[in-house]
Amino acid sequence: MKAKKYALTFPVSEPGTFLSTRGEGAHKRSALQAALRSAGPAPVLEIDFTGTEAMTHSFVDEFLGKFYVSLAVGDVQVAGVILIGLIKETRESVAVCLERRKQFAVQGEDHTLLGDTNVIPDTYARARKLGAFRAQELAEALGISVTNANNRLKRLVQAGVLSRDRAPGPERGGKEFLYTLP
């Protein structure tokens, strides 16, 4: 039986806050990682920017950019990541940071992707429509190869946009996975 996923909300700042330095970004990232370590099994992480009026690119890169690198290499374990509470100014800073690092994230309110999204938006949109699916089903829906679908899904899982669990008994040899939205 699959364990129920729970959310951990990490508030980035207090209302009216301007976040500006790499040191501040490193401190926030350390606090986030400490919260994740004490949270127990991998939660769905909501990074809440509510109240943040502006952020410099240096802060965002140190806090979020480096966090997403840790996520991609497996140093951080979460069931998914959603960014919430972004306003126009902060959303722009996040998008620029992620694009420069060739990373992307999902904005929780409208489920749009931010950052380096190239061919991923159609894959993400189809994944949202399917809800729970295997790579083969996504490949068929998009008219692409299973290898291409797996490559796209790997990026979505690494960014915490999708969750991946081992599917019961593959009909063919090898491992099969079931993908879901966090």
Side-chain angles (χ1 to χ4, degrees):
M1 179 171 214
K2 189 172 153 181
K4 183 175 178 164
K5 297 174 187 169
Y6 68 96
L8 169 69
T9 301
F10 181 82
V12 176
S13 64
E14 299 296 320
T17 303
F18 174 70
L19 303 168
S20 62
T21 67
R22 281 201 177 273
E24 205 172 355
H27 177 72
K28 284 289 181 186
R29 183 170 31 84
S30 292
L32 172 58
Q33 290 170 331
L36 285 170
R37 280 191 298 276
S38 62
V44 173
L45 173 64
E46 294 177 339
I47 301 176
D48 188 356
F49 289 92
T50 301
T52 305
E53 292 184 6
M55 303 180 286
T56 64
H57 294 297
S58 296
F59 172 85
V60 176
D61 184 62
E62 192 67 35
F63 171 62
L64 206 56
K66 288 187 177 179
F67 173 75
Y68 270 91
V69 167
S70 296
L71 189 63
V73 298
D75 291 343
V76 176
Q77 300 295 316
V78 294
V81 181
I82 299 169
L83 307 182
I84 59 174
L86 292 168
I87 59 174
K88 182 182 177 195
E89 291 80 10
T90 56
R91 178 184 170 125
E92 202 170 284
S93 296
V94 167
V96 167
C97 168
L98 295 172
E99 190 170 328
R100 287 179 179 167
R101 285 189 169 267
K102 303 288 184 216
Q103 299 166 332
F104 57 91
V106 68
Q107 180 172 312
E109 289 83 0
D110 60 5
H111 300 282
T112 57
L113 295 177
L114 304 173
D116 182 37
T117 58
N118 297 339
V119 299
I120 298 298
D122 61 333
T123 305
Y124 179 63
R126 183 58 65 159
R128 286 187 47 76
K129 285 182 183 175
L130 292 171
F133 59 92
R134 297 173 195 244
Q136 177 69 39
E137 295 166 311
L138 180 71
E140 290 169 3
L142 293 172
I144 60 176
S145 70
V146 175
T147 301
N148 193 346
N150 277 318
N151 289 335
R152 292 180 186 194
L153 289 167
K154 180 179 178 185
R155 288 194 67 204
L156 290 167
V157 169
Q158 286 175 337
V161 174
L162 290 178
S163 295
R164 180 181 88 169
D165 294 304
R166 186 89 187 257
E171 295 155 14
R172 306 174 299 287
K175 296 178 189 174
E176 278 196 303
F177 297 96
L178 183 65
Y179 297 88
T180 57
L181 297 168

